[in-house]
Amino acid sequence: MASEQPIRLGELLVQKELITLDQLDTALKEQKRTGSFLGSALMRLGLIRPDKLLPVLSDQLNIEYVSLKGLNISPEAIKNVPAKFAYHYKLIPLSWDGEELKIAVTDPYDVHTLDDVGLLLNCRVLPVLGEESDIMDALKKYYGVGAETVEAMMSDAPEKEHSLDESVIAKTENIDDLAADASVIKFVNQILLQAYQERATDVHIEPFGEQLRIRYRIDGVMYETSVPQSIKHFQSAIISRIKIMSNLNISEKRLAQDGRTKIKMGNKELDLRISIIPTAFGESVNIRLLSSQDMLISLTSLGLSDRHLKSLNENIEKPHGIILVTGPTGSGKSTTLYACLKQLNQTTRKIITIEDPIEYLMSGISQIQVLPKIDLTFAQGLRSILRHDPDIIMVGEIRDYETAEISIRAALTGHLVFSTLHTNDAPGAVARLVDMGVEPYLVASSVECIIAQRLVRVICKECKQEVKIGRELLGQLSSEHSDEEITIFEGRGCDECKNTGYSGRIAIHEFLDVGEDIRDLIVKRKPSHMIRKVAIDRGMMPMRTDGWQKIKNGITSVEEVLRVTQEEGGI
């Protein structure tokens, strides 16, 4: 009697209704064209997810399938397999007992890889199935970003450079050569690529006694990324490479330096703003990652409520006056200003900006970069701008009396002026201008609208879940429902959001439209808390109230709104 033939993978997938017959036929054609495995063809065509395919493949091959998500891996196993080896073969060691090494691989029948691992460690190898994306994530988690590159650098570097003493490294004569070394270049590129993939806005490279710490700012919050401890040996080479990228002075280590450069990530171009400052343990680097696609958005994408959007549209169409956007550094003020300019950018209007720095080059708009070294300040640039008869002026930031005074006089002589201030709330901008020395009557007659804003993280759509909050917490946000419990949302944390519960950010706002009653208060030098009270009585929605609306709409969480707003005054 003939032995029963095993069911083929494609038939198994169809039986389990994971793919259709038509999809199987498409994948078989792709397999024939490329010579790859059927499973690879299915995943490449997007017809099945790895977490659906691999358990079926595991049953068919009678090989264990391991989900690496949330799995704790033995440090002893990691220690016994070099990073260069693990990255090259795309495998992650799971356990080691001195005789047998258990590894997760994407292809358990790749005998060449299994033989190489066995010969290297002189042990038996037990392969299990794992998802390629999970294996790559585990490699970065347990070995660190760029671990295989650092390992190669360590093996190639002279013995004398293996000292953790930064003074020894700083004296190395061939530091220029080290900075241009392919491995150093590759490591810096890997750090930037990882930052881009994780949606980071900043990369912080910070030297300490025996550590070179690398952190990413993602959705406004700092996260430390795993890197090999041995990168401390190459601190000077890494920082020198970044200086070379941004045309900074490689030999200057005592003074702060600022530069910028552009890099390509796939089909996306990133603008890198680089700042280097001297610290006790060497130079500290901050790299701001800016994308033109992210910066140039429309007003409707800012997260404005219908009421606020209507108000902003009305104000930016006024022929003259000042529109101020306030908030701390990193609150999205520049994005709001660029969105306004994008809507106003027409051939019938002359628009000029003066910025420090220019974050995005906009076609059709004349943009000036502040250069204090040659006395091109905001105030000096503004004087020159007015001679070019612009309709609209954007001043990156009002920092002093001179800039404020010229901006206000520009608004009073028929120009629409956009600018930013660093204040906690919208009414506080009035007090800030008066403190600079601007006469209250000039503020009252020129300012049309003040927008205060903060960025809150958006709940991850993949792990969004309902939760109930009590009366006490509700009372901090709104008196609207303070006598009852209501259902809102939060993110429980998943692989998509790196277990943070959030993915992306959106702004919450506070709009102060300066009407006649507010102008009277400004002229009479009334304090900002009195202006605030009158504005709220007149209908101004405090920032925390706008945040409450976004909580009710399932966009963000209570914790986020409370984190970025102040309780006092209901900001």
Side-chain angles (χ1 to χ4, degrees):
M1 185 175 176
S3 61
E4 187 177 342
Q5 291 291 323
I7 302 178
R8 293 183 177 182
L9 176 62
E11 295 171 358
L12 267 174
L13 294 172
V14 172
Q15 281 183 16
K16 293 179 179 291
E17 298 183 349
L18 294 172
I19 61 171
T20 65
L21 282 170
D22 288 341
Q23 289 174 330
L24 174 59
D25 184 53
T26 302
L28 288 170
K29 290 177 182 176
E30 174 72 6
Q31 179 191 21
K32 185 177 180 180
R33 185 182 69 82
T34 61
S36 61
F37 292 109
L38 176 62
S40 300
L42 284 164
M43 288 189 291
R44 187 166 54 252
L45 293 170
L47 300 177
I48 192 169
R49 297 205 320 261
D51 60 334
K52 299 292 184 184
L53 170 69
L54 293 183
V56 177
L57 188 59
S58 170
D59 290 340
Q60 188 203 34
L61 301 177
N62 196 27
I63 291 177
E64 182 185 358
Y65 164 67
V66 175
S67 175
L68 299 177
K69 293 172 182 174
L71 184 69
N72 289 321
I73 295 175
S74 161
E76 190 67 22
I78 297 292
K79 183 180 176 181
N80 277 279
V81 179
K84 188 175 181 180
F85 204 86
Y87 271 91
H88 177 74
Y89 289 109
K90 291 185 181 178
L91 60 87
I92 186 77
L94 302 178
S95 63
W96 165 257
D97 64 6
E99 294 182 358
E100 183 178 81
L101 177 72
K102 187 177 183 180
I103 60 172
V105 293
T106 55
D107 181 8
Y109 283 107
D110 184 353
V111 293
H112 297 296
T113 297
L114 303 182
D115 287 345
D116 287 348
V117 175
L119 286 170
L120 174 73
L121 300 176
N122 192 25
C123 66
R124 294 194 307 273
V125 176
L126 176 64
V128 298
L129 265 176
E131 292 182 36
E132 183 174 343
S133 60
D134 288 352
I135 290 173
M136 297 310 295
D137 287 343
L139 285 171
K140 291 171 186 173
K141 177 180 178 181
Y142 288 97
Y143 285 100
V145 178
E148 81 287 12
T149 306
V150 175
E151 200 171 82
M153 289 158 63
M154 289 292 291
S155 63
D156 294 340
E159 190 66 30
K160 66 179 181 180
E161 290 167 19
H162 285 190
S163 168
L164 286 178
D165 185 353
E166 173 63 17
S167 63
V168 173
I169 301 173
K171 292 175 184 176
T172 303
E173 292 180 0
N174 66 339
I175 192 69
D176 291 11
D177 295 335
L178 281 175
D181 182 79
S183 295
V184 175
I185 294 170
K186 182 180 178 182
F187 178 76
V188 172
N189 289 343
Q190 286 172 320
I191 290 294
L192 295 174
L193 177 61
Q194 180 73 7
Y196 170 71
Q197 290 173 340
E198 294 193 6
R199 301 179 295 101
T201 54
D202 295 85
V203 179
H204 294 262
I205 303 175
E206 305 160 312
F208 296 100
E210 294 191 355
Q211 178 192 15
L212 184 64
R213 183 172 70 175
I214 297 181
R215 293 192 291 171
Y216 297 149
R217 187 179 292 279
I218 303 170
D219 295 334
V221 178
M222 296 281 275
Y223 296 95
E224 185 169 356
T225 189
S226 175
V227 291
Q229 187 177 2
S230 51
I231 66 165
K232 178 67 178 178
H233 306 314
F234 304 96
Q235 176 177 316
S236 288
I238 291 166
I239 293 171
S240 294
R241 170 58 192 164
I242 294 168
K243 286 181 179 179
I244 290 169
M245 288 171 61
S246 49
N247 294 316
L248 298 179
N249 186 350
I250 193 172
S251 62
E252 180 56 73
K253 299 177 184 294
R254 301 164 302 166
L255 299 175
Q257 296 190 70
D258 294 312
R260 66 191 306 165
T261 187
K262 290 183 183 291
I263 60 170
K264 276 267 192 180
M265 289 290 178
N267 59 355
K268 200 171 188 179
E269 188 173 64
L270 294 182
D271 187 12
L272 306 185
R273 278 171 34 196
I274 296 164
S275 177
I276 300 177
I277 57 173
T279 70
F281 295 104
E283 293 172 289
S284 180
V285 180
N286 175 57
I287 304 173
R288 171 70 58 87
L289 283 71
L290 297 167
S291 167
S292 58
Q293 289 95 325
D294 297 335
M295 179 63 68
L296 196 59
I297 63 175
S298 63
L299 289 181
T300 53
S301 304
L302 291 175
L304 295 163
S305 65
D306 292 341
R307 174 179 166 184
H308 286 159
L309 182 60
K310 181 175 181 291
S311 173
L312 184 55
N313 276 316
E314 289 173 354
N315 278 290
I316 67 175
E317 290 298 334
K318 289 180 179 179
H320 53 77
I322 294 182
I323 297 172
L324 292 172
V325 183
T326 77
T329 301
S331 58
K333 300 187 298 295
S334 296
T335 302
T336 300
L337 290 178
Y338 279 126
C340 293
L341 294 183
K342 179 185 177 184
Q343 181 156 316
L344 294 170
N345 189 10
Q346 300 172 10
T347 54
T348 55
R349 294 184 174 120
K350 172 75 171 179
I351 303 175
I352 306 179
T353 76
I354 180 161
E355 308 170 58
D356 184 23
I358 297 172
E359 294 190 354
Y360 173 64
L361 295 171
M362 300 180 69
S363 177
I365 294 178
S366 301
Q367 294 171 269
I368 302 170
Q369 168 70 55
V370 168
L371 293 169
K373 289 181 180 178
I374 59 171
D375 201 31
L376 179 52
T377 61
F378 280 115
Q380 186 60 44
L382 264 170
R383 289 192 184 93
S384 301
I385 285 172
L386 292 174
R387 300 188 192 106
H388 283 249
D389 189 28
D391 298 294
I392 298 165
I393 301 169
M394 194 265 272
V395 182
E397 183 185 343
I398 294 178
R399 298 174 179 173
D400 50 44
Y401 166 75
E402 195 176 11
T403 307
E405 193 261 347
I406 298 171
S407 298
I408 285 173
R409 295 203 179 277
L412 293 174
T413 53
H415 304 88
L416 184 62
V417 180
F418 292 89
S419 192
T420 68
L421 273 176
H422 288 273
T423 63
N424 288 330
D425 63 355
V430 174
R432 180 80 181 96
L433 290 171
V434 174
D435 287 344
M436 285 182 184
V438 181
E439 290 295 330
Y441 74 90
L442 289 175
V443 177
S445 55
S446 61
V447 177
E448 296 292 336
C449 176
I450 304 171
I451 306 163
Q453 68 179 58
R454 300 287 189 280
L455 293 178
V456 293
R457 291 182 290 176
V458 175
I459 298 170
C460 174
K461 294 178 181 178
E462 299 298 321
C463 60
K464 192 174 183 178
Q465 63 182 8
E466 290 186 355
V467 293
K468 288 188 179 293
I469 59 172
R471 299 173 185 174
E472 184 178 345
L473 198 56
L474 277 172
Q476 294 183 48
L477 288 164
S478 171
S479 58
E480 184 182 343
H481 298 286
S482 57
D483 59 341
E484 60 181 275
E485 286 189 352
I486 69 163
T487 299
I488 59 170
F489 294 89
E490 68 178 23
R492 66 177 180 274
C494 65
D495 292 315
E496 290 295 319
C497 62
K498 307 294 182 185
N499 293 309
T500 62
Y502 300 97
S503 181
R505 289 190 290 176
I506 198 170
I508 56 174
H509 303 88
E510 176 177 276
F511 270 62
L512 174 59
D513 287 310
V514 182
E516 290 306 316
D517 49 355
I518 301 296
R519 296 187 201 280
D520 289 341
L521 294 174
I522 296 172
V523 170
K524 293 174 182 176
R525 294 180 180 267
K526 296 297 181 182
S528 58
H529 69 84
M530 189 174 292
I531 294 174
R532 180 178 192 82
K533 183 178 183 305
V534 171
I536 291 174
D537 291 341
R538 195 163 63 99
M540 183 182 82
M541 182 191 297
M543 199 182 300
R544 188 168 280 188
T545 304
D546 187 35
W548 173 238
Q549 297 298 323
K550 288 179 170 63
I551 291 169
K552 290 197 297 183
N553 292 334
I555 297 171
T556 190
S557 68
V558 173
E559 290 76 11
E560 269 300 285
V561 174
L562 293 178
R563 180 178 69 86
V564 303
T565 61
Q566 297 179 5
E567 183 174 359
E568 186 177 355
I571 296 175

